[in-house]
Every structure is written in C-alpha cells, then in structure tokens.
Amino acid sequence: MRTSTKSIVHAAQDGGYAVGAFNIFDGLTLRAVVRAAGEKRSPAIVQVSARTAKALGPRFLARMFEELAAGSDVPLSLHLDHCPDLELTRAVIDAGWSSVLFDASHLELAEAAEQTARVVSWAHPNGVDVESEIENIVGVEDGVGSDALAHSYADEELVRVARETGVDLLAPHLGTAHGQYKLPPVLLPQRVSHLRRLTDLPIVLHGGTGLKPEEFRSFISAGVSKINVSTAVKHAYLDAMEESLGSAREAGRREPLPILGEVERRVADTVASFLELFGSAGRAGGER
C-alpha cells in the first residue's frame, strides 16, 4: 500500500529501526523490492535516480509503482534520489511521487537554501515530502555527485537551514560514500546523535553498500532512520544476469522469462537481507 515517505521514516524513528530505500532502474527491480518487502512484512522505500527518472519518465514510473503498491499490504513509497535539476524535480512532484531529494550540495549556502525552499513550496501543496542535502555525500552515483567534499557545515547550521526551508528529512555527510569503498571510511555516527538532539527531523544515511553490520547498527542506534542502498542492488542484478545467461547458453536454452525470474529472485533476496539487517522486517503497519 502506498503511504508517505515521511510517515514510513517517522515510524522507523519512533521504533528504533531504519527503513531501506532501494534504487530501482526497471520494472524487474521495482517488483523485486516490493516482493522482498511483502515477504519480510517490512515497509520499504522505492528509490529512483535522476538518470532513471529521465530515461523512463516520471509518470510512467509513478504508474508502475502505483500498480504494484496497490497489490501490496505493506507500507511503500516512491522517492526521487539525488536530483539537482529543478525542472525534473518539479516534473516528479507533478507526477505525484511520494517524496524527492533535492540535491543542492553543489550550490553555495544561500542559493542552496533558496532553491530548497522553492522545491518545498511546490512539493508540500501536492502532498510530496522533501529530503534536503546541502552538503554533499562523497562519490558519484548515476552521473550525480563529486569525489570531493565540496560543502560542510556545522550541525546547528544544517538544522537552521532545514527548519527555515521546511524540509521533512535531512541527509548530512556522515563519512559514507556512494559506490564501493576503496579504503575504510571514517564514519560519523556521533554526528547523528548530536543532530538528533538538535532536531526531530529523520536523518538519512547515504552510501549504504559496503558497510559492515555493526556499522549499520551503530548508525541506527545513533538515530538514522532511512538508509539508501543502490550499488548492492545493481551488483545483485548484473551478477545474477551474467550467471543465468551463462547457464542458459550451456544448456542451449533461449527462454528469457526463467532468466528474468532468477534475476528478480536474487535482487529480492539482496533487498530482504538489508531489511533484516536494518530491523524493519516484521514492522509493516507501524507507520503513523
């Protein structure tokens, strides 16, 4: 069932667990996330990159999501990830998605705040929630981002801007990075604890792939309630596709559907493992 991103994440915040936000890039991965959420009785956020939203179209993606969410009895929402493009953000809002992450981390603070407030003024009248990012998470994902930390602010400044712009979720830099880690990251769960003392806004962890279970638990214990996972979904998809195609060739089979079915199962299993790890399994129905 479709519900708001804000309600899903606030329920996680109240319950001391985190909700996974999984980047999808076609109907198969969308079905896999919904399937895993249903099997694990877990809320989940279906997340879409700006590149995928442009490629498939905001309204088409919204229709696919609505069809699958209507057939599910666990809380689901549809979220636009890392979008620095005001025009695309507006198109997604107009298409009726649940939430957007407007990525203003490439802008100086005053401009970032002004553009974020503009997005909120479009989104809230349409029932769409807004995640804020004004200091960048390191790494490039689907063509968006930077390998350098461009902007960093004091916790009090982040909270002030979030309060003034009226956003619903906050994505600070927490030492994680998009993509696979080349070196062990210097993680900042203590920053989450401090931010949670300053604000009731849900805190989002980007760059979830590659962290150890105990590192996820430290962030969740500190107060993170939304965790983004993208690279692990892509790897599960591509690895399963490669292995299934190889097996089909060896056996002389030319049927696509069994291959696609195996890929969906493998992606769903990957998503399910994160739902268990984040503590959201069995929590369906806890949204407020």
Side-chain angles (χ1 to χ4, degrees), residues 45-148:
I45 297 167
V46 174
Q47 195 159 261
V48 184
S49 73
R51 178 183 288 179
T52 300
K54 287 178 180 178
L56 298 183
R59 294 191 181 279
F60 178 66
L61 284 161
R63 287 196 295 270
M64 281 202 302
F65 171 77
E66 293 292 350
E67 181 70 21
L68 289 172
S72 174
D73 62 351
V74 300
L76 301 165
S77 70
L78 180 63
H79 178 73
L80 175 66
D81 193 25
H82 283 292
C83 186
D85 183 334
L86 283 170
E87 184 177 350
L88 178 60
T89 302
R90 184 63 185 262
V92 164
I93 291 168
D94 290 344
W97 291 31
S98 310
S99 54
V100 297
L101 164 54
F102 179 64
D103 187 343
S105 62
H106 60 294
L107 302 172
E108 295 303 319
L109 184 59
E111 182 67 10
E114 189 278 326
Q115 290 196 18
T116 301
R118 196 186 317 172
V119 169
V120 170
S121 75
W122 299 335
H124 283 180
N126 289 282
V128 177
D129 304 321
V130 179
E131 181 179 332
S132 170
E133 183 181 322
I134 61 170
E135 54 179 22
N136 66 303
I137 285 72
V138 174
V140 178
E141 182 177 21
D142 281 346
V144 177
S146 169
D147 287 324

Side-chain angles (χ1 to χ4, degrees), residues 191-220:
R191 190 180 193 200
V192 179
S193 299
H194 187 235
L195 286 166
R196 291 291 293 114
R197 290 194 292 271
L198 296 174
T199 180
D200 190 47
L201 284 176
I203 307 298
V204 181
L205 178 69
H206 286 250
T209 299
L211 295 188
K212 300 173 184 176
E214 60 269 23
E215 292 170 334
F216 280 121
R217 285 192 287 268
S218 71
F219 274 117
I220 295 168

Side-chain angles (χ1 to χ4, degrees), residues 30 60 107 117 120-121 129 166 188 190 215 235 238 250 254:
L30 172 55
F60 178 66
L107 302 172
V120 170
S121 75
D129 304 321
L188 303 172
Q190 69 277 10
E215 292 170 334
H235 284 196
L238 293 173
E250 288 177 8
R254 308 293 290 179

Side-chain angles (χ1 to χ4, degrees), residues 146-224:
S146 169
D147 287 324
L149 186 60
H151 294 108
S152 181
Y153 304 107
D155 295 352
E156 290 78 7
E157 188 80 338
L158 277 184
V159 171
R160 179 189 67 78
V161 173
R163 185 179 299 117
E164 291 177 357
T165 55
V167 297
D168 305 288
L169 300 93
L170 181 61
H173 171 63
L174 297 173
T176 54
H178 295 128
Q180 294 282 21
Y181 291 106
K182 298 178 179 66
L183 295 170
V186 179
L187 303 177
L188 303 172
Q190 69 277 10
R191 190 180 193 200
V192 179
S193 299
H194 187 235
L195 286 166
R196 291 291 293 114
R197 290 194 292 271
L198 296 174
T199 180
D200 190 47
L201 284 176
I203 307 298
V204 181
L205 178 69
H206 286 250
T209 299
L211 295 188
K212 300 173 184 176
E214 60 269 23
E215 292 170 334
F216 280 121
R217 285 192 287 268
S218 71
F219 274 117
I220 295 168
S221 296
V224 161

